[in-house]
Amino acid sequence: MTPRQNAILVFNAGSSSIKAALYGLSEDRHAPLELISRFHLSGLRGPHPQIRLTDAQEKVLLERSLPASCDHETGAQTVLERLLKDGQINLLAVGHRVVHGGSTYTAPVLITDDVLRDLSTFIRLAPQHQPHNLRAIRLIQEMLPTLPQIACFDTAFHSSMPDMATLVPLPRDIRNKGVRNYGFHGLSYEYIAGRLPQLRKDGRIYGRCIVAHMGHGVSMCALKDGKSIATSMGFTALAGLPMGFRSGTVDPGILLYLLEEEGLSVAELKDLLYHKSGLYGLSGVSDDVRDLLRKDSPDTRRALDYFAYRINREIGSLTAALGGLDALVFTAGIGENSPEIRRQVCALAAWLDIRLDEGKNAQNAALISTPDSPVEVWVIPTNEEVMIARHTIALLP
Ligand code: ADP
């Protein structure tokens, strides 16, 4: 009988999807992680939930529809049962992406009942995501009570931000209740901060670097010597740049106007800001950059022009926080795959004397600036899963 392979599971439970990845561990805990398989459960709470299982080469091993009644619990259970079914895996731990660690959790943590209780108090800080993250943890606790679970936070990497970057100009009694800038996408920024020196010829960390994480959510982070010192998101992941559906920052006076003069309810306002704004709201067509590039109408062009305009303005703000700029990194769905958006952003950022190598940009190469560009421009695929897997291994009891 072949011995069972030691493995850890990475779990990312979102509002309408559950993503999971299984990594095999070799004897040497410092050896590169081996991806075994990936699960993607999509369309939860919609009419057509779907489950998809792929191997490390992205070959589809299983793809099927689930009943519309499939909720997060059933979904997570399906993933786990399928995973453990053939008995070839010895699961050592589960690492979870948890959106909010508040001011308390500035590093990944082994989950205990006390930790879980603490994390529940942050639900009010991230009501859209935190409940799903915690529900997955509880479900796994019930199914496999002795299995260690580790929480990795989207906020933790930004705990290095100075006081000025976290402060919001509101009275002390409000600030004392945890109202401050936290920042998000931390696992992505942490991965990029570690990956950059590996890609550079001299293996060094940049002193002043901006990372633009442009996926469904969009944010940017200023890295000083590899540590976060400022970011575009704030108290919530609604702040900062316009995203697919989310508005990003708007004049708070507009929100008061919509509530007082237009009679929107709080629920309607929330729906507007989270689901009907951003690229979708501006174009009236789609949240997806690919659709907007394909359609090429005045409205779609204007939406993309605004997107690039705001990114350039944020580059200005983060460059000021860093006191100059040595490197700009594009990552996540749009950043990794769209030469058009990168070209547009870099053209607007000509004030930094950024010089793009058009050929390399078109190929999605890693280093896409010319050798004489004073600011080096990179395209680096992010990998939040691997970051969670590494943290989980590091905290294995
Ligand atoms: P998430 O933030 O959920 O992890 P991704 O990082 O995969 O998502 O980013 C998804 C987004 O990436 C989509 O909304 C789409 O707009 C964008 N995207 C993916 N591929 C391309 C492409 N080839 N060109 C432009 N945009 C793309």
Side-chain angles (χ1 to χ4, degrees):
M1 207 173 89
T2 49
R4 293 194 303 160
Q5 184 177 19
N6 286 336
I8 56 157
L9 181 67
V10 170
F11 221 82
N12 182 357
S15 52
S16 63
S17 73
I18 295 176
K19 291 181 195 160
L22 191 66
Y23 287 91
L25 253 67
S26 60
E27 288 294 309
D28 173 9
R29 287 208 180 170
H30 300 290
L33 288 162
E34 178 214 344
L35 178 71
I36 301 174
S37 54
R38 265 209 178 94
F39 287 86
H40 189 193
L41 236 137
S42 56
L44 288 171
R45 299 201 298 190
H48 306 295
Q50 274 237 329
I51 186 166
R52 195 165 197 258
L53 171 63
T54 49
D55 69 8
Q57 283 73 45
E58 293 186 27
K59 192 176 128 204
V60 179
L61 304 175
L62 167 87
E63 191 165 31
R64 69 180 161 91
S65 301
L66 296 169
S69 59
C70 178
D71 56 11
H72 282 75
E73 269 80 9
T74 328
Q77 215 162 340
T78 312
V79 169
L80 277 173
E81 278 164 4
R82 165 77 213 196
L83 197 83
L84 302 171
K85 200 172 81 177
D86 52 17
Q88 287 176 3
I89 295 298
N90 178 33
L91 197 57
L92 298 182
V94 184
H96 291 266
R97 179 175 183 183
V98 176
V99 66
H100 225 299
S103 300
T104 321
Y105 294 98
T106 57
V109 65
L110 182 70
I111 298 168
T112 61
D113 287 345
D114 286 345
V115 170
L116 201 50
R117 215 170 300 124
D118 267 357
L119 298 183
S120 305
T121 65
F122 306 142
I123 286 179
R124 61 198 197 105
L125 299 179
Q128 310 266 340
H129 294 100
Q130 194 91 342
H132 305 297
N133 306 153
L134 301 189
R135 213 176 292 155
I137 295 171
R138 287 205 185 91
L139 181 94
I140 295 173
Q141 266 185 345
E142 280 164 27
M143 288 178 75
L144 304 161
T146 57
L147 190 70
Q149 299 197 70
I150 280 106
C152 303
F153 305 99
D154 268 331
T155 47
F157 185 67
H158 300 294
S159 64
S160 50
M161 290 200 301
D163 181 50
M164 286 299 113
T166 64
L167 200 58
V168 295
L170 293 173
R172 187 186 294 274
D173 57 336
I174 294 174
R175 284 184 279 122
N176 282 349
K177 289 179 183 154
V179 177
R180 45 159 281 199
N181 291 319
Y182 290 97
F184 299 87
H185 290 139
L187 292 158
S188 172
Y189 294 128
E190 188 180 8
Y191 176 83
I192 299 290
R195 186 78 184 115
L196 254 178
Q198 293 173 345
L199 293 170
R200 286 185 78 187
K201 277 204 190 92
D202 61 9
R204 290 174 55 193
I205 296 175
Y206 286 106
R208 302 165 304 178
C209 173
I210 293 175
V211 184
H213 176 111
M214 308 193 292
H216 283 118
V218 178
S219 76
M220 289 169 71
C221 180
L223 298 177
K224 186 151 200 162
D225 301 325
K227 300 253 187 310
S228 169
I229 62 150
T231 189
S232 61
M233 281 179 172
F235 177 61
T236 67
L238 189 55
L241 298 154
M243 310 177 210
F245 289 109
R246 283 174 255 169
S247 62
T249 299
V250 291
D251 172 1
I254 295 175
L255 312 184
L256 296 176
Y257 166 83
L258 292 173
L259 289 169
E260 290 175 353
E261 303 298 329
E262 292 293 322
L264 259 67
S265 68
V266 172
E268 284 167 336
L269 185 58
K270 199 181 203 176
D271 188 41
L272 174 76
L273 298 172
Y274 275 99
H275 305 300
K276 293 181 178 157
S277 301
L279 291 173
Y280 175 76
L282 279 171
S283 67
V285 174
S286 171
D287 68 303
D288 192 314
V289 166
R290 285 165 292 197
D291 292 339
L292 301 181
L293 287 167
R294 218 175 297 127
K295 292 255 163 50
D296 197 27
S297 70
D299 281 343
T300 58
R301 235 169 293 142
R302 194 155 175 247
L304 292 175
D305 286 350
Y306 180 73
F307 186 63
Y309 167 82
R310 285 290 306 278
I311 288 169
N312 178 43
R313 292 218 8 206
E314 193 63 36
I315 289 175
S317 165
L318 296 176
T319 299
L322 287 164
L325 191 63
D326 304 314
L328 172 65
V329 180
F330 290 99
T331 193
I334 303 166
E336 291 165 25
N337 298 302
S338 180
E340 294 88 345
I341 298 293
R342 292 194 301 258
R343 187 187 313 117
Q344 211 174 340
V345 169
C346 290
L348 291 172
W351 59 278
L352 280 164
D353 205 13
I354 284 182
R355 293 172 212 167
L356 201 62
D357 180 322
E358 292 290 347
K360 289 193 172 146
N361 182 43
Q363 294 158 20
N364 296 326
L367 184 60
I368 58 169
S369 49
T370 59
D372 62 350
S373 179
V375 176
E376 296 194 334
V377 186
W378 293 86
V379 177
I380 305 180
T382 195
N383 199 333
E384 289 151 306
E385 278 168 9
V386 157
M387 214 56 245
I388 296 170
R390 285 182 196 154
H391 285 310
T392 304
I393 292 166
L395 287 186
L396 272 181

